[in-house]
Amino acid sequence: DQQVKQNSPSLSVQEGRISILNCDYTNSMFDYFLWYKKYPAEGPTFLISISSIKDKNEDGRFTVFLNKSAKHLSLHIVPSQPGDSAVYFCAANSGAGGTSYGKLTFGQGTILTVHP
Amino acid sequence: DTAVSQTPKYLVTQMGNDKSIKCEQNLGHDTMYWYKQDSKKFLKIMFSYNNKELIINETVPNRFSPKSPDKAHLNLHINSLELGDSAVYFCASSRHGGGPGELFFGEGSRLTVL
């Protein structure tokens, strides 16, 4: 029972264009959502997050949108750069604090390729 | 300096053997984790320690035993290895007061059981 799903295994985008990565979740107890980026042979690195009390969070070229009613979030990267080519994982957390602080439920990742 | 380091990075062993993976973080974080990435690429939490105390223990076979000698180290020992244990194991840490779920991961240890 996968509570966090990334239905697109891969996405290919031209440099300078927008990349949109999608994520769906089923557990309504999730109240914090994160995106991680992973290069080959490296561990995931935190990219951006959003609390369930917000619907948008922006950090430079990266924006995360949350639609709670649809249980859907998306990561927008604009403009996309070849260095953004990596695997992007969506993750969710329930109970912002306490013992579940670092207990993340991950999606299976989307491979983003940005072509020059 | 690597913030979260794991050794070994690659491990190939036979079924039935016992092996350990070590993890060290130099970030001064209080909490450390082990995550497993299976063949379907999902990352799933196994254990979490806060200041040497076990705080998260997911449904993991008791062949897996974490040990935290101090808050900078979290090792994973696996007894009687099975084929299904083949995976990439990631160690991670987090700081008190940081954002929920903001973890710092190591590079991973790829375990192959033959």
Side-chain angles (χ1 to χ4, degrees):
Chain A
D1 175 29
Q2 298 305 329
Q3 299 181 60
V4 177
K5 293 182 182 178
Q6 296 173 253
N7 292 319
S8 296
S10 62
L11 175 67
S12 183
V13 171
Q14 206 67 30
E15 181 179 7
R17 308 295 285 265
I18 185 171
S19 296
I20 300 176
L21 298 108
N22 294 303
C23 178
D24 297 296
Y25 63 96
T26 57
N27 189 340
S28 55
M29 296 299 292
F30 289 144
D31 57 7
Y32 208 81
F33 303 90
L34 305 95
W35 286 93
Y36 278 79
K37 176 179 178 179
K38 184 183 180 304
Y39 292 117
E42 294 185 10
T45 54
F46 168 73
L47 189 58
I48 192 169
S49 61
I50 188 167
S51 163
S52 60
I53 62 174
K54 295 185 176 181
D55 55 18
K56 177 182 174 181
N57 188 27
E58 197 170 347
D59 184 2
R61 296 185 297 114
F62 302 90
T63 303
V64 57
F65 295 92
L66 175 62
N67 183 333
K68 280 182 63 179
S69 60
K71 294 191 175 67
H72 177 84
L73 64 155
S74 61
L75 174 68
H76 292 210
I77 306 173
V78 67
S80 301
Q81 300 173 354
D84 295 330
S85 297
V87 180
Y88 287 80
F89 289 97
C90 170
N93 180 270
S94 57
T99 58
S100 66
Y101 185 91
K103 182 178 175 180
L104 297 177
T105 301
F106 281 88
Q108 65 271 53
T110 296
I111 301 170
L112 173 65
T113 305
V114 180
H115 299 283
Chain B
D1 264 354
T2 305
V4 181
S5 58
Q6 303 177 220
T7 54
K9 291 192 172 28
Y10 299 95
L11 186 54
V12 181
T13 188
Q14 300 286 331
M15 277 177 55
N17 284 349
D18 304 337
K19 291 294 178 186
S20 293
I21 306 171
K22 296 185 176 182
C23 178
E24 176 182 5
Q25 55 94 5
N26 62 7
L27 298 167
H29 290 170
D30 291 319
T31 309
M32 296 184 72
Y33 312 82
W34 279 109
Y35 274 80
K36 176 182 179 181
Q37 186 179 32
D38 60 23
S39 57
K40 295 183 179 178
K41 304 302 182 186
F42 286 99
L43 278 151
K44 295 181 180 176
I45 190 166
M46 301 174 70
F47 302 102
S48 173
Y49 271 75
N50 179 266
N51 254 325
K52 303 192 296 176
E53 181 183 348
L54 181 66
I55 56 172
I56 295 176
N57 185 350
E58 290 297 289
T59 309
V60 176
N62 57 16
R63 297 183 295 104
F64 290 78
S65 52
K67 282 188 173 54
S68 182
D70 55 62
K71 73 173 191 177
H73 295 84
L74 180 61
N75 303 323
L76 183 66
H77 188 76
I78 315 170
N79 289 327
S80 304
L81 278 156
E82 300 177 357
L83 293 175
D85 297 332
S86 295
V88 182
Y89 293 86
F90 288 96
C91 177
S93 69
S94 65
R95 64 180 178 90
H96 179 71
E102 290 181 27
L103 307 183
F104 292 76
F105 283 88
E107 294 179 336
S109 297
R110 181 176 293 277
L111 171 66
T112 303
V113 182
L114 303 175

